[in-house]
Amino acid sequence: MDIVSALRTFQRVAETGSFSAAAHDLDVTQPAVSRQVASLESHFNTRLLHRTTSGLSLTAEGERMLPMALRILEAVEELGDAAGSNGATASGKVRLSVPAPLGLYLSERLGDLLAVHPKLSVELIFREQSSDMIEERLDLEVRLGSVADSSLVCRRIGWTTAFLVASPAYLARKAAPRAPKDIRDHECLCYDRAGDTCTWSFSNGSEDISVRITPRLTACNAIAIHRAALAGAGLAVLSHIIAVPDIAAGRLIPVMEDFQPSRLPITVVYPSRRNMPLRVKTVLDFLTDVIGQDLSMCVSGADRQRNG
């Protein structure tokens, strides 16, 4: 029996409360999970789990063993780091929740990561609102704006950059706003990410200005607002991830450029920094690199196109 593998399996079963959920997370079969736990129980000659028709729960012995198992697994990870991770391979599935625009952006780049780590797989879950990470068995989640849940570990990996844009067809009908107060006279298309669809915030570098608006179209998905803006339905505040290609091609035009939409922190959250599996750390490092480098180059490209 591989004791480390068995302990890791026991950990996932204890955290998810299900053999099938643990098998899904570890990308193995349910019988394989059952055999690992049974081997661990046989090795220590004690029952670790109560198995009933309603589910699984830890026995008193299992409750005592779980913290020790976590310490052992953490020590194994630290040994791998100390040895330079020679021979270590990221394997298994990582469940990653992201807003739809960022998920589409990442999907074009994840192939490079997966090519380097052939035993790694990533499940992208498109989610505009925050999730219950434990209940939904998420490994990582990217959130925009402040993070209120103090129980989660947070890593700031960048800042959003957005544009106030409209299509040429819309601007042929209505003059572009020059200042935030002018927005009240326009058709507004709102991405309802944070629950406040009536306020847009801008900054001119010296002051922040909030504008109360009456949206003509509201959607909880930024892609829908993007398409409506391309169709000439009105003004929209769009992430550079979505807007930059259309700005470069002339399909969307940035307006009111002296007042940029306020920037929001981009944060990756996860349940615990203790005993982070190599598969999760690998994806976390990938997110940090991609958002820190590729997105900044994307914005610079838009600036060159716009100013050229």
Side-chain angles (χ1 to χ4, degrees), residues 98-102 127-129 144 188-200 213 215 217-226 235-239 242 264:
V98 291
L102 181 58
R127 188 72 52 77
E128 306 300 324
Q129 304 293 336
L144 307 182
C188 296
L189 315 173
C190 294
Y191 165 35
D192 181 14
R193 180 193 57 79
D196 184 359
T197 60
C198 297
T199 303
W200 279 349
I213 59 172
L217 175 65
T218 302
C220 62
N221 186 294
I223 304 301
I225 296 301
H226 173 228
L235 297 177
V237 175
L238 294 177
S239 164
I242 303 176
L264 298 173

Side-chain angles (χ1 to χ4, degrees), residues 39-240:
S39 296
L40 198 63
E41 291 178 324
S42 176
H43 180 79
F44 290 106
N45 194 30
T46 188
R47 182 173 292 278
L48 302 174
L49 295 167
H50 290 300
R51 299 161 176 82
T52 67
T53 55
S54 60
L56 298 173
S57 62
L58 290 171
T59 63
E61 292 77 13
E63 292 278 4
R64 288 196 296 270
M65 177 175 285
L66 183 59
M68 292 184 282
L70 293 175
R71 289 197 293 272
I72 292 169
L73 292 170
E74 184 177 9
V76 170
E77 293 286 346
E78 290 175 354
L79 283 171
D81 291 341
S85 295
N86 290 332
T89 302
S91 62
K93 180 181 291 185
V94 174
R95 286 171 52 81
L96 168 63
S97 172
V98 291
L102 181 58
L104 293 174
Y105 181 85
L106 291 175
S107 67
E108 298 176 349
R109 291 154 178 79
L110 277 166
D112 293 336
L113 176 71
L114 299 178
V116 174
H117 302 279
K119 295 184 178 180
L120 178 70
S121 62
V122 177
E123 182 178 351
L124 280 177
I125 298 102
F126 286 9
R127 188 72 52 77
E128 306 300 324
Q129 304 293 336
S130 300
S131 309
D132 184 328
M133 298 194 67
I134 301 299
E135 182 177 337
E136 299 188 38
R137 307 192 315 278
L138 297 175
D139 295 297
L140 299 168
E141 182 166 73
V142 179
R143 296 185 182 180
L144 307 182
S146 60
V147 178
D149 190 342
S150 61
S151 68
L152 298 173
V153 181
C154 303
R155 180 188 288 190
R156 178 77 51 80
I157 59 174
W159 291 82
T160 62
T161 298
F163 300 97
L164 180 65
V165 297
S167 71
Y170 177 80
L171 294 176
R173 302 196 309 269
K174 302 200 71 168
R178 295 179 176 273
K181 63 181 177 60
D182 300 331
I183 292 175
R184 296 187 181 93
D185 299 324
H186 282 266
E187 310 291 306
C188 296
L189 315 173
C190 294
Y191 165 35
D192 181 14
R193 180 193 57 79
D196 184 359
T197 60
C198 297
T199 303
W200 279 349
S201 298
F202 302 89
S203 175
N204 63 1
S206 60
E207 63 176 329
D208 296 326
I209 302 172
S210 294
V211 180
R212 301 290 292 178
I213 59 172
T214 303
R216 293 301 308 280
L217 175 65
T218 302
C220 62
N221 186 294
I223 304 301
I225 296 301
H226 173 228
R227 292 187 177 184
L230 286 172
L235 297 177
V237 175
L238 294 177
S239 164
H240 61 284

Side-chain angles (χ1 to χ4, degrees), residues 10-23 25 56 134 137:
F10 169 61
Q11 173 204 359
R12 294 307 295 156
V13 171
E15 290 177 345
T16 61
S18 164
F19 283 136
S20 60
D25 288 355
L56 298 173
I134 301 299
R137 307 192 315 278

Side-chain angles (χ1 to χ4, degrees), residues 15-36:
E15 290 177 345
T16 61
S18 164
F19 283 136
S20 60
H24 183 272
D25 288 355
L26 296 169
D27 199 21
V28 297
T29 65
Q30 183 172 331
V33 169
S34 299
R35 285 195 298 272
Q36 287 270 40

